[in-house]
Amino acid sequence: MASRIYFIIFAVNALHEIAAELGKKDWNFSENPCNNKSSWFTPPPTHGSQAINNSTVTCKCSFTNGECHIEVIILHRNYLKGIIPHEWAALKLETLSVAMDHITGPIPGNLGNITTLKYLSLENNQFSGTIPPEFGRLVNLEYLTLNANYLTGKFPSSLANLSNLK
């Protein structure tokens, strides 16, 4: 139980930093981000509709060992500005998507530390520079979307390590 409480405190602190860095103002920090509802979760669109924006944070908790971690951060079409916070590198994310925002600067190489990532979408932003060679450490990655940015240079040879890409 103590590790779960520690996680919630760590997660909320990390999410505060993320929100501050990206200008995200609609999360309610008095709520537990692991309850997977309210301000932390945008339900998927119903049949025939398309969500204008999506702000979803979901957690995965194991009651057998009392561990929790943020599993998903999706921030589609939130018109967020700024840079990707370095705090994301400390999370055990499986899904990270900041598609169709206004995030700038180089893609942080420390995202390569999130070796649990299976889905990474940074498309339709204003990223510049090269694809970080550290992405070669994302050995569980199945989907990588980087289109519609201002990236330059060659693909890093380390991307050949990503044998799970579909």
Side-chain angles (χ1 to χ4, degrees), residues 39-99:
S39 72
W40 295 99
F41 182 74
T42 301
T46 59
H47 181 69
S49 69
Q50 185 176 20
I52 293 173
N53 70 3
N54 187 331
S55 297
T56 299
V57 173
T58 58
C59 300
K60 184 176 189 176
C61 296
S62 168
F63 293 103
T64 56
N65 62 12
E67 289 184 14
C68 288
H69 66 273
I70 297 173
E71 183 177 53
V72 175
I73 294 178
I74 298 174
L75 300 171
H76 288 183
R77 295 183 183 146
N78 282 261
Y79 305 104
L80 301 173
K81 295 181 180 182
I83 59 172
I84 289 190
H86 68 275
E87 287 82 8
W88 283 354
L91 301 174
K92 295 179 181 179
L93 296 171
E94 290 186 17
T95 298
L96 173 57
S97 179
V98 290

Side-chain angles (χ1 to χ4, degrees), residues 2-165:
S3 65
R4 188 168 181 188
I5 292 170
Y6 172 76
F7 161 76
I8 292 169
I9 292 168
F10 171 79
V12 169
N13 287 340
L15 291 169
H16 265 289
E17 292 293 324
I18 291 166
E21 193 71 43
L22 293 176
K24 186 85 177 111
K25 297 180 181 175
D26 60 345
W27 284 338
N28 182 349
F29 288 99
S30 65
E31 297 174 336
N32 177 350
C34 290
N35 68 8
N36 295 335
K37 56 186 169 184
S38 63
S39 72
W40 295 99
F41 182 74
T42 301
T46 59
H47 181 69
S49 69
Q50 185 176 20
I52 293 173
N53 70 3
N54 187 331
S55 297
T56 299
V57 173
T58 58
C59 300
K60 184 176 189 176
C61 296
S62 168
F63 293 103
T64 56
N65 62 12
E67 289 184 14
C68 288
H69 66 273
I70 297 173
E71 183 177 53
V72 175
I73 294 178
I74 298 174
L75 300 171
H76 288 183
R77 295 183 183 146
N78 282 261
Y79 305 104
L80 301 173
K81 295 181 180 182
I83 59 172
I84 289 190
H86 68 275
E87 287 82 8
W88 283 354
L91 301 174
K92 295 179 181 179
L93 296 171
E94 290 186 17
T95 298
L96 173 57
S97 179
V98 290
M100 295 175 260
D101 286 309
H102 300 289
I103 303 173
T104 59
I107 297 172
N110 63 4
L111 290 180
N113 295 335
I114 312 174
T115 58
T116 52
L117 270 178
K118 293 181 180 179
Y119 181 92
L120 176 60
S121 176
L122 304 176
E123 68 181 305
N124 263 330
N125 278 286
Q126 298 171 7
F127 289 109
S128 58
T130 60
I131 299 169
E134 294 88 348
F135 277 18
R137 295 193 301 248
L138 300 174
V139 295
N140 292 304
L141 199 63
E142 296 176 10
Y143 300 95
L144 175 63
T145 311
L146 301 172
N147 62 301
N149 281 292
Y150 300 104
L151 300 175
T152 58
K154 297 179 179 183
F155 285 94
S157 60
S158 62
L159 294 183
N161 299 332
L162 306 180
S163 60
N164 291 323
L165 277 181

